[in-house]
Amino acid sequence: MDIENAANEEAYRLNAFDAGLSVEITSDTMPSKVSGFIVDVKSDNIIIRPGGTEDFHTKVPNGTEITVRCFTGETVFRFKSILRNVVFEPTMLAIIGCPESIQREERRDKRRTTCKLPCVLVIKENKIKACIEDLTHTGCRCSLYESGMLDRWSAKFLFEEDCAVDIFFLPAGGTVKEQSIKGMIKYLRTAYDRFDIGVEFYLSSEEEKDMIETTLKLGW
């Protein structure tokens, strides 16, 4: 089922999400968010395999209201739910209610600037030529020049979600030197022989923030 249609049509809400879809769970009772993925969708509930399990099962009792964000490409689907139960054997699973309504959001809530910036991605010690095609203060979308060298399975391994990446902006349009910024891969999208990845920036230093600000102002 097309998740975008499911988000807009209430009749399809029970089948809106696929197994393997990554999720993020938050609650007022938890000190931090919990990441995980959907294992299965039943007629009246969704089964999730949460990470950070120690905090999860000690801080979130049955009946707690939670907020779930599901990630697919550049889009986020958010809904409220109730934690119904947690099972521990053979593995820990959280059982939550199916959503009554689903809200669609952009993964990056900042206005995107379209650009064509050559770069090199360093991922797991591999250097890959790419082009940044849109940019915000918090992240970017890159298209890979060398996508013809990858098949879907090797790409999935190399560009797994939450994998660290260094992006080296190559000199272009008046930049005086090669500059780099650290980030985390948030999604991989494939279409024919094209591979796009979404990156969320860490922006751990003022120098990195200034670099992104300058790049956005130049508007390449």
Side-chain angles (χ1 to χ4, degrees):
M1 169 151 317
D2 184 341
I3 191 170
E4 295 186 18
N5 290 334
N8 295 323
E9 299 183 32
E10 195 69 20
Y12 295 131
R13 66 183 178 82
L14 296 181
N15 298 312
F17 304 108
D18 294 327
L21 197 66
S22 61
V23 300
E24 179 183 278
I25 300 171
T26 55
S27 168
D28 292 340
T29 66
M30 285 192 296
S32 59
K33 62 188 177 184
V34 171
S35 297
F37 62 90
I38 292 176
V39 174
D40 198 5
V41 179
K42 303 293 186 182
S43 60
D44 62 347
N45 59 52
I46 296 174
I47 301 174
I48 293 174
R49 174 73 170 93
T53 52
E54 182 177 351
D55 273 345
F56 189 81
H57 80 266
T58 57
K59 300 292 185 181
V60 188
N62 291 351
T64 298
E65 183 177 273
I66 58 176
T67 298
V68 181
R69 300 174 76 218
C70 301
F71 302 94
T72 171
E74 298 176 354
T75 306
V76 178
F77 295 91
R78 179 167 60 89
F79 62 88
K80 298 282 188 182
S81 185
I82 298 291
L83 179 68
R84 291 181 170 173
N85 195 17
V86 177
V87 297
F88 298 93
E89 297 293 341
T91 187
M92 183 174 174
L93 297 172
I95 302 171
I96 69 172
C98 281
E100 294 297 330
S101 63
I102 305 168
Q103 293 181 320
R104 176 177 174 173
E105 304 169 346
E106 289 295 314
R107 189 186 285 262
R108 283 183 280 153
D109 59 0
K110 306 294 183 182
R111 186 177 67 84
R112 302 181 184 217
T113 297
T114 301
C115 55
K116 288 287 184 182
L117 292 172
C119 66
V120 173
L121 309 177
V122 181
I123 305 168
K124 300 179 181 177
E125 300 183 353
N126 293 279
K127 293 184 178 180
I128 300 168
K129 293 179 181 178
C131 179
I132 297 173
E133 297 199 334
D134 70 51
L135 180 68
T136 67
H137 288 92
T138 58
C140 68
R141 174 173 56 83
C142 299
S143 178
L144 308 185
Y145 285 149
E146 299 175 347
S147 57
M149 299 169 59
L150 298 166
D151 58 33
R152 289 178 61 90
W153 296 109
S154 59
K156 271 291 186 183
F157 170 76
L158 187 59
F159 302 106
E160 61 187 345
E161 290 184 3
D162 296 336
C163 176
V165 56
D166 286 323
I167 302 178
F168 287 84
F169 289 68
L170 301 180
T175 55
V176 295
K177 63 179 181 179
E178 181 180 286
Q179 297 173 299
S180 68
I181 194 166
K182 294 184 180 298
M184 178 185 297
I185 294 174
K186 302 309 294 184
Y187 70 84
L188 165 70
R189 185 173 61 195
T190 62
Y192 302 103
D193 60 347
R194 176 186 173 98
F195 290 84
D196 290 342
I197 65 168
V199 176
E200 179 182 315
F201 298 143
Y202 288 143
L203 296 180
S204 56
S205 70
E206 289 301 319
E207 181 180 359
E208 289 181 333
K209 294 176 183 178
D210 290 344
M211 172 195 163
I212 295 300
E213 182 66 33
T214 300
T215 303
L216 287 168
K217 285 180 180 178
L218 289 172
W220 291 309

